[in-house]
Amino acid sequence: MAADGLLNSNFMAISETEGMYFSGPDIRYGANTNQSTGQTADSFLAAYTDEWGEDPAAPFWAHSYDATTLLLDAIAAASYDDDGTLVIDRAGVREHLNAVEDYSGIIGLISCDAFGDCGSQKITVIGHGDSGDVSASNANVVYEYAPGGSSLGEGNLVLPAVIPSYGGTATIGLEAEAVGLRPWEDSCSSPCYNIMFSIFDTMLEQDATGAYVGNAAVGITPNDDLTVWTLTLRDGMTFHNGVAVTAQTVEDMWALQQTGSAAAGHIRSSKLAGVEATGDMEVTYTLSAGNSAFPSFLSRAYLGMLFEPAAATADPDGFSLAPVGSGAFMIESRDIDNETVLVRNPDYWRTDVWGRQLPYLDGIAFRPIPDETTRLASVVSGTIDGMGSLRGATVRDARMTEGLTLFEFQGNNSGGGMFNVLVPPYDDVRVRRGLTLMNNQEATIEALGGKGISTPATQFFSADSNWYSQEVADAYPSFDYEAGKALVQEYVDDPARSDEKAVGEKITVDFACPPDPTLIAFASVLEQLWTASDLVEFNLSHADQQTHINIALGISNGFMGDHGVHCWRWSSQDDPSIALGDAFAGPWQASPLNFSNYSHPDATVALAAALATDDFEERRRQYEIIGLIAARDVPYWYTGGTATVLAVDEKLTGLATWTTVDGALGSGHPASEGRWRQAWWME
């Protein structure tokens, strides 16, 4: 650490100074103005540079400037003309300076004390991280001491950024195999997104504030009624096969997206009617109705990921094994249910904050390891380098494991299940509400290992979300065993019951969940609760996660699905229009992603109304209407908020600080979806 005598740009340009700390004046001058001359820091520096060809090397130039103007003001105030002789009253100069209080200078508000010391009373410590960018280091304030008033409050020590190193590979364990790697065709959840975010670039992505910002696209702008959105692509991007990315690429993608099973739901929800290349790098999206949330659809797989359309058209099925994107990593091999291996894209277009090409890793591999205990143990043993999980019990166990860095997240996503409302007896709201009322959420959360981690959920939004509704929470049928039993009893005793069983005969609940031990324990709690009513016969079945998803998707029966009661996860950090648009799409045949097959005309109206405005409070109210409908008709039921984690070897870093193209902090890792392009190994 050095004092201000070494806080000099010439000294800091020496590479050996990187990692040093320097104490000195606070030089974050912003728009501060010298009240005597009207000069700001920017205007002074511009004049100085014009005269000398460089910025001042030492940090006290602004102090010198303000001191000079103060002295000149004091001289002017203490001078007089004595018969043609200029007289400067030295005592008057001192008196004037002693009276200075809150003088506006470039360095801030200046006051002089009884000892004649004048200043703004601010000292900072900066962390020097890059000898090639001294100005960035000067702005990297890690501590501020300001007895006269601090803009930052108490000082906080933050290490200067360490420049990431290149090389090495990482192997990541996933909870399941990806259903497929075709962005327009295959339903995608957390395991799939870990792979697809590595291979494909999205047009837009979310930053830490939740805003949708440019990625492969520079940006996107709407017309006044939100029906036409114009997107500008970045120059210089190429696919892994060398084909250039242009606006025509996106138009050609549209031809495939219109045929895609997964994309169909988002095309309908987004109101997308047409995609046209209106310039070399300009794409125009035309919607059938206004949609204020349209950018959110361009941050996810089905409509937002760039894929090479010629390769996809030539062999749509083969594309899932050999996908071609423009992302940070390229496919090397794909062995289904064993390992997908990606290697570094040597022509990737993105760079880091130091202007160096991404990614840092030479390669990354993804292995499906369905058993949670085995997956975590594999990281501990060094068989793999990291893992993702969406299970509270695994989060709990990972917290107690040494040598790992955890990236936890708990947002809007929540666990629970759905009823296939086209299948008796779940087509009757009495059964759905009754079973939901008989779900002891605290008990099921504990069975899932989430006690002390997750809290009971009541809707698609967590309690800390801006979209959360207390009215919906109050309306949700929370645990009331006797009330639930009474509703099921009413159905059982109804001669017109939809399952065509005899009056008084138990209903049959066909419950399905993947064969994870915590999910089996969760299902066991529900079985005990529901069968204890003497009104329910409970049949439990298991399938791996990929099959579990396909059963609900129902490709073979017009997307009706082959499920009864299916355990599932709901919602995300995306704009609500995506999750709610999928879950409540009506009619159900319009979207394969409406897994419960539930729709309601009032929900359809509310979905459209929310998209037609960009007023947050109005949108929130429309989504609240949908939440109230769901709390009444219960196509979905909840346990608790989904606690997720990426647990990696403590030397594998960069995940906490991934950034968007413009350098803003990214959205983190919701749903255990890793952003691996900026991950690197510390030596």
Side-chain angles (χ1 to χ4, degrees):
M1 185 167 180
D4 48 44
L6 290 179
L7 187 59
N8 183 294
S9 60
N10 297 322
F11 178 71
M12 295 169 70
I14 300 171
S15 60
E16 287 79 3
T17 64
E18 291 179 2
M20 291 183 65
Y21 295 95
F22 296 87
S23 65
D26 187 348
I27 60 174
R28 298 169 295 176
Y29 301 135
N32 292 348
T33 303
N34 183 284
Q35 70 181 48
S36 300
T37 65
Q39 287 272 31
T40 64
D42 289 342
S43 62
F44 173 85
L45 287 174
Y48 186 96
T49 304
D50 285 345
E51 179 70 22
W52 301 105
E54 61 180 0
D55 286 345
F60 290 104
W61 58 267
H63 297 72
S64 301
Y65 184 87
D66 288 339
T68 300
T69 58
L70 273 171
L71 181 58
L72 291 174
D73 284 356
I75 290 172
S79 301
Y80 58 93
D81 184 348
D82 183 12
D83 237 1
T85 300
L86 176 63
V87 177
I88 302 175
D89 183 355
R90 295 173 63 185
V93 170
R94 185 178 182 89
E95 182 180 349
H96 178 90
L97 291 174
N98 284 344
V100 169
E101 185 174 356
D102 289 340
Y103 174 91
S104 176
I106 291 177
I107 68 170
L109 295 178
I110 301 171
S111 297
C112 299
D113 62 22
F115 301 100
D117 289 329
C118 305
S120 59
Q121 295 184 317
K122 289 184 180 180
I123 296 174
T124 60
V125 176
I126 65 166
H128 182 33
D130 186 359
S131 58
D133 191 353
V134 173
S135 61
S137 291
N138 283 331
N140 184 30
V141 174
V142 299
Y143 191 85
E144 178 186 43
Y145 177 69
S150 168
S151 60
L152 297 181
E154 294 182 6
N156 294 291
L157 187 62
V158 180
L159 293 176
V162 178
I163 299 177
S165 57
Y166 286 97
T169 61
T171 301
I172 308 302
L174 304 177
E175 67 173 2
E177 180 60 274
V179 172
L181 299 179
R182 297 168 296 181
W184 72 95
E185 178 65 30
D186 299 310
S187 179
C188 196
S189 60
S190 173
C192 165
Y193 269 114
N194 272 276
I195 303 174
M196 295 241 274
F197 275 137
S198 301
I199 297 173
F200 303 102
D201 288 313
T202 53
M203 301 292 191
L204 308 174
E205 60 186 359
Q206 277 185 298
D207 65 18
T209 70
Y212 290 92
V213 299
N215 188 37
V218 176
I220 188 169
T221 56
N223 66 350
D224 290 341
D225 66 1
L226 306 173
T227 59
V228 178
W229 292 77
T230 303
L231 177 144
T232 303
L233 289 165
R234 296 185 189 276
D235 289 320
M237 291 188 298
T238 59
F239 288 110
H240 300 153
N241 60 2
V243 174
V245 176
T246 67
Q248 188 60 48
T249 300
V250 182
E251 182 176 324
D252 293 343
M253 284 166 44
W254 172 237
L256 278 168
Q257 288 166 336
Q258 292 177 89
T259 69
S261 298
H266 277 207
I267 289 172
R268 189 181 189 284
S269 298
S270 67
K271 315 297 182 184
L272 183 58
V275 180
E276 182 182 1
T278 49
D280 290 343
M281 305 301 285
E282 181 183 275
V283 180
T284 299
Y285 294 90
T286 302
L287 314 185
S288 60
N291 181 353
S292 60
F294 181 68
S296 63
F297 290 88
L298 300 183
S299 70
R300 304 300 282 176
Y302 311 132
L303 297 179
M305 284 185 173
L306 277 172
F307 61 89
E308 210 278 278
T313 301
D315 186 3
D317 293 333
F319 194 88
S320 187
L321 294 175
V324 182
S326 61
F329 296 94
M330 310 182 298
I331 193 83
E332 180 176 76
S333 63
R334 179 154 163 77
D335 185 359
I336 301 295
D337 293 327
N338 184 27
E339 188 173 60
T340 297
V341 180
L342 309 181
V343 294
R344 185 178 190 270
N345 175 6
D347 301 313
Y348 191 46
W349 58 276
R350 280 200 59 173
T351 58
D352 62 15
V353 295
W354 294 276
R356 304 181 311 152
Q357 187 189 45
L358 294 172
Y360 302 121
L361 295 175
D362 290 333
I364 187 166
F366 298 97
R367 292 182 190 170
I369 307 176
D371 183 77
E372 294 283 323
T373 302
T374 302
R375 197 178 330 128
L376 180 57
S378 297
V379 183
V380 175
S381 69
T383 306
I384 60 177
D385 304 303
M387 59 159 284
S389 177
L390 292 88
R391 300 273 185 265
T394 306
V395 175
R396 177 199 62 206
D397 294 344
R399 288 177 177 178
M400 297 185 290
T401 304
E402 295 183 356
L404 301 182
T405 302
L406 307 186
F407 301 96
E408 296 186 31
F409 193 92
Q410 188 170 170
N412 291 331
N413 189 274
S414 59
M418 61 185 161
F419 300 103
N420 187 341
V421 301
L422 299 180
V423 175
Y426 325 112
D427 57 344
D428 193 298
V429 69
R430 292 173 295 182
V431 172
R432 300 196 301 269
R433 284 189 66 85
L435 293 175
T436 301
L437 284 163
M438 287 194 286
N439 168 27
N440 184 337
Q441 290 176 282
E442 297 288 357
T444 52
I445 288 172
E446 184 171 0
L448 289 164
K451 185 177 181 180
I453 299 174
S454 298
T455 55
T458 59
Q459 56 196 276
F460 273 41
F461 310 114
S462 59
D464 60 355
S465 168
N466 291 333
W467 303 101
Y468 179 81
S469 166
Q470 187 59 50
E471 189 175 349
V472 172
D474 294 340
Y476 181 75
S478 297
F479 185 52
D480 185 338
Y481 195 81
E482 292 304 319
K485 184 177 177 180
L487 281 173
V488 176
Q489 184 73 61
E490 183 180 324
Y491 175 86
V492 165
D493 293 340
D494 189 346
R497 54 190 285 182
S498 58
D499 62 1
E500 299 182 351
K501 288 187 175 184
V503 170
E505 189 175 350
K506 295 179 180 180
I507 64 170
T508 298
V509 170
D510 293 318
F511 188 89
C513 226
D516 175 79
T518 61
L519 293 179
I520 293 172
F522 155 64
S524 178
V525 170
L526 285 176
E527 179 178 13
Q528 293 173 42
L529 287 166
W530 290 349
T531 58
S533 67
D534 289 328
L535 299 170
V536 176
E537 179 183 285
F538 190 95
N539 297 325
L540 177 62
S541 62
H542 301 293
D544 65 85
Q545 184 161 311
Q546 183 177 355
T547 303
H548 186 74
I549 292 171
N550 285 331
I551 289 171
L553 191 60
I555 295 176
S556 63
N557 65 356
F559 301 112
M560 173 180 168
D562 298 307
H563 56 299
V565 184
H566 231 46
C567 71
W568 208 258
R569 300 188 190 103
W570 301 109
S571 197
S572 69
Q573 298 307 111
D574 296 322
D575 186 272
S577 60
I578 292 183
L580 293 175
D582 290 341
F584 293 90
W588 65 267
Q589 298 94 331
S591 175
L593 303 179
N594 180 347
F595 294 109
S596 75
N597 302 311
Y598 172 87
S599 62
H600 191 281
D602 291 345
T604 302
V605 169
L607 282 170
L611 294 180
T613 179
D614 57 4
D615 179 83
F616 172 79
E617 288 301 330
E618 177 58 25
R619 294 190 72 210
R620 182 184 178 280
R621 177 55 189 160
Q622 296 302 325
Y623 292 138
E624 185 174 61
I625 290 171
I626 297 169
L628 291 170
I629 292 170
R632 181 192 69 204
D633 293 348
V634 205
Y636 313 105
W637 49 275
Y638 308 99
T639 50
T642 302
T644 73
V645 68
L646 284 175
V648 300
D649 185 299
E650 61 187 358
K651 292 184 178 180
L652 184 60
T653 189
L655 290 169
T657 54
W658 76 267
T659 58
T660 63
V661 175
D662 61 5
L665 192 64
S667 59
H669 305 282
S672 192
E673 296 172 1
R675 302 301 198 276
W676 301 101
R677 64 184 174 232
Q678 288 169 271
W680 57 283
W681 284 104
M682 290 190 295
E683 296 179 357

